[in-house]
Amino acid sequence: MRQALLHSSNLYTALIALVLAAPAGAQSSIAQDLRSLVTVSGDSADRLRLSTLESTGREPWRLLRSTSNLTGRALSSGRSFEVSVIAPSLWVAINSALPAGENNGGLWAGRGPNARTVGGVDAKIGALRLTLLPELLYSSNESFEYGQLYLPPLPASRNPYSSPWNVYPYSVDAPVRMGPAKTIRVSPGQSSLSLHSHGFEAGVTTENEWWGPGIRSAIVLSDNAEGFPRAFVRTSVPRRTQYGTFDFRLTWGGLTESEYFDSNKSNDLRYWSGFAATWATAFEPNLTIGVARAVYATASGWGGVALRPLHVFLPAGRANSRPVSDSAFVPERDQIMSLFARWAFPGHGFEAYGEFARLELPESLRDFLVEPGHSQGYTFGAQWLGKPTAVGKWRIQAEHSYLEQGPSFRNRGLGSFYTSRSVLQGYTNRGQVLGAGMGQGSSGDWLAIDALGAKFSVGAFVSRTRFNNDAYFRLPFAYNAGHCQHDVTVAPGIRAGASTRWARLSAQYTSAQRLNAFFQNQAACQFLEPKVDVRNHTLQIAATFGR
């Protein structure tokens, strides 16, 4: 699996040779078949999702999706040999004062200008499909101040850029800054190699996936971090039966530690085993119910990663259910799981959805009945698309996510979302959280209103995020003197988009106020001392070419 994913250049050479060897008619078809990339979140996915609310004749929106699932609609004929050129897509994000951004795949949106571009080819050769979509990633990663007054001390083994607020007991590989300099690199990106047969497929990939109904947040798996090398078995398209429509995927691979976490090279690799399934019910086809679970732990090598496809079905223990006074590190499996649902009303332009997650399975039915919210997190939201008006269709979105500790932390050991006491790097890949973009132990809200025309869109939004709040309660006593120390961002903004025959352009501007940035306010509200707030302006521009 690892060799297949790391030798992208060899795969490119092989594919180019196949294209050149194809008949002249096939090559002409290739030249004319310039397709656009569809990502698992963002503008391209948003437009597909909206189409499922406009008519009862549309296909239901897939709650389990990957780049190849969405972009692969180009390979739809019955020919044994097809090649589509996937036109480049470009994302640019410029932050004035602080790193900011989520659901950007492998891009670290640091302070200053940042860019990500993806493009390549998608080929079908008989039952074999090869998608080569590497990514070029650039981050200016300019310096910024995050410890004006005080920073908790870091252990000698931790990198100076690692999070000083997530050492013990809620450890996670989430660097505050990705090193001291700008970064530029090429990754395999949204590439995959798969074999298709009878509605199923198996293969290897590094592409991003999205599990769940959320528009901005997916608790178990999203495109907030770079896709990681893994193998998979899944349905090519949802399977229709007399009992409803089913979709599933079993996937396993390896997570990589960032360069800015610790100095221990023996724990840089973790295995990850995940399973997700959805059921669109026969009695109500627009109601989709799903389940997802992921299990992860430190691995000694890629051989150990490849041999753990079914570990997602094994118990994960209770590594986090210990008193905070217990500082022992016990290496073992950790987990995250969720139940979710989406109910759409096509033709009425409305959908409601929710996801409920837990870090621990209940010990018993009694345990669940007494404290059903222990180790829980959740997301719920709705979207409404109105009837056509003189300015187009009005659309409203609202979403709330809560991944902070619940009340049960007062009387029993409790972990914090995406951190771990058994896997020091937590639930991350290359220093970014695999799930909700708000990050570890956080909560957030989103509200947006847009006017959508046939070729344009314009709208406004506001978000609120409370960052890393579980770690806040582990800070020294002086930080708990009042409620003015929580690290909270309030971010209003505007956005617009326009379509042409060969491209889709979008732009978004946000003026965010980060209150008590990085917990630096040392005074309670009543003392009226100066607060450490930071204003951050963000401009995001995206261009998706092709059709």
Side-chain angles (χ1 to χ4, degrees):
M1 178 180 74
R2 186 189 183 195
Q3 292 180 348
L5 295 170
L6 295 180
H7 290 71
S8 299
S9 60
N10 293 338
L11 293 176
Y12 264 123
T13 303
L15 181 58
I16 292 170
L18 284 170
V19 172
L20 293 176
Q27 293 186 38
S28 177
S29 174
I30 294 168
Q32 298 175 9
D33 195 16
L34 186 65
R35 301 288 178 170
S36 62
L37 178 72
V38 183
T39 53
V40 297
S41 71
D43 183 69
S44 58
D46 182 53
R47 287 180 291 123
L48 279 179
R49 182 169 184 153
L50 282 176
S51 71
T52 68
L53 298 180
E54 294 177 328
S55 170
T56 55
R58 305 283 185 174
E59 289 291 320
W61 179 238
R62 295 187 71 167
L63 302 189
L64 308 178
R65 57 191 183 273
S66 59
T67 305
S68 59
N69 287 149
L70 300 176
T71 306
R73 297 174 304 143
L75 304 181
S76 56
S77 78
R79 297 194 302 267
S80 61
F81 179 83
E82 292 182 77
V83 176
S84 289
V85 177
I86 308 301
S89 292
L90 173 66
W91 294 267
V92 175
I94 305 172
N95 289 308
S96 66
L98 297 173
E102 57 189 61
N103 303 331
N104 292 321
L107 178 65
W108 166 253
R111 183 187 176 208
N114 311 273
R116 172 193 180 202
T117 184
V118 185
V121 290
D122 191 7
K124 183 180 74 174
I125 309 167
L128 188 69
R129 182 183 177 192
L130 179 62
T131 303
L132 291 175
L133 293 170
E135 298 187 1
L136 176 62
L137 305 165
Y138 169 78
S139 175
S140 58
N141 195 32
E142 296 174 9
S143 63
F144 61 95
E145 183 62 66
Y146 56 88
Q148 298 98 319
L149 301 177
Y150 171 78
L151 286 179
L154 280 166
S157 61
R158 291 290 174 98
N159 188 283
Y161 293 101
S162 66
S163 171
W165 306 284
N166 293 107
V167 178
Y168 167 81
Y170 308 130
S171 180
V172 69
D173 179 17
V176 184
R177 184 182 175 204
M178 291 293 181
K182 65 182 180 181
T183 62
I184 182 168
R185 66 187 185 90
V186 176
S187 78
Q190 307 304 308
S191 301
S192 62
L193 177 65
S194 58
L195 185 66
H196 297 240
S197 179
H198 298 90
F200 297 92
E201 55 185 312
V204 291
T205 187
T206 57
E207 67 183 341
N208 285 117
E209 296 193 27
W210 188 285
W211 293 0
I215 293 175
R216 289 181 56 86
S217 296
I219 297 178
V220 176
L221 190 60
S222 75
D223 62 343
N224 186 66
E226 182 174 331
F228 53 95
R230 63 193 184 279
F232 63 84
V233 178
R234 66 192 184 196
T235 47
S236 300
V237 294
R239 305 280 292 183
R240 296 182 181 274
T241 73
Q242 61 178 323
Y243 305 106
T245 303
F246 296 88
D247 196 8
F248 89 93
R249 52 197 60 204
L250 172 67
T251 179
W252 66 101
L255 305 174
T256 302
E257 180 184 297
S258 75
E259 298 179 19
Y260 306 102
F261 178 63
D262 68 11
S263 58
N264 182 3
K265 299 300 182 181
S266 66
N267 66 358
D268 287 358
L269 180 66
R270 286 152 290 151
Y271 78 80
W272 182 95
S273 177
F275 174 82
T278 62
W279 172 43
T281 64
F283 60 86
E284 175 49 82
N286 295 306
L287 172 62
T288 303
I289 301 169
V291 61
R293 185 180 188 233
V295 169
Y296 58 103
T298 302
S300 58
W302 283 97
V305 171
L307 295 176
R308 290 177 167 87
L310 301 179
H311 275 224
V312 65
F313 302 113
L314 297 180
R318 300 179 180 279
N320 299 303
S321 60
R322 304 198 310 269
V324 293
S325 59
D326 182 354
S327 60
F329 173 67
V330 183
E332 58 179 303
R333 291 187 293 269
D334 209 340
Q335 70 155 16
I336 180 173
M337 70 170 299
S338 76
L339 300 172
F340 51 86
R342 173 181 182 256
W343 199 348
F345 299 86
H348 297 279
F350 180 75
E351 64 170 311
Y353 57 86
E355 182 173 14
F356 174 81
R358 281 186 62 132
L359 299 177
E360 293 180 12
L361 291 172
E363 295 180 351
S364 62
L365 177 59
R366 179 188 181 95
D367 178 41
F368 177 76
L369 294 174
V370 171
E371 284 190 318
H374 180 65
S375 78
Q376 75 171 8
Y378 53 83
T379 290
F380 58 84
Q383 180 169 220
W384 172 77
L385 182 66
K387 300 295 183 181
T389 67
V391 296
K393 295 182 178 181
W394 290 102
R395 189 266 301 273
I396 298 175
Q397 296 174 321
E399 186 172 290
H400 170 70
S401 294
Y402 193 88
L403 301 177
E404 299 179 20
Q405 290 177 332
S408 61
F409 85 91
R410 297 187 181 98
N411 50 38
R412 60 193 293 193
L414 178 60
S416 178
F417 264 84
Y418 307 132
T419 74
S420 179
R421 300 181 72 175
S422 61
V423 185
L424 289 178
Q425 298 83 355
Y427 195 68
T428 63
N429 185 48
R430 292 187 175 273
Q432 298 195 75
V433 165
L434 291 171
M438 67 187 69
Q440 62 275 15
S442 303
S443 62
D445 303 278
W446 166 263
L447 178 65
I449 182 169
D450 301 275
L452 308 178
K455 298 292 183 180
F456 77 93
S457 64
V458 61
F461 59 87
V462 62
S463 67
R464 173 191 174 275
T465 306
R466 184 160 66 179
F467 292 108
N468 210 4
N469 209 49
D470 297 343
Y472 160 76
F473 286 106
R474 299 302 307 155
L475 293 172
F477 176 78
Y479 275 67
N480 293 311
H483 63 269
C484 282
Q485 292 92 347
H486 297 277
D487 185 350
V488 176
T489 289
V490 179
I494 55 175
R495 60 184 180 180
S499 296
T500 69
R501 182 182 177 187
W502 291 102
R504 169 73 179 177
L505 306 175
S506 62
Q508 176 175 300
Y509 169 74
T510 307
S511 178
Q513 180 79 337
R514 188 157 180 173
L515 309 174
N516 314 315
F518 307 104
F519 313 114
Q520 292 302 297
N521 177 26
Q522 289 189 316
C525 297
Q526 61 267 28
F527 294 111
L528 301 177
E529 294 188 11
K531 312 297 188 296
V532 181
D533 300 339
V534 179
R535 175 71 69 178
N536 185 46
H537 302 277
T538 301
L539 176 64
Q540 296 173 283
I541 301 172
T544 301
F545 299 97
R547 56 180 182 175

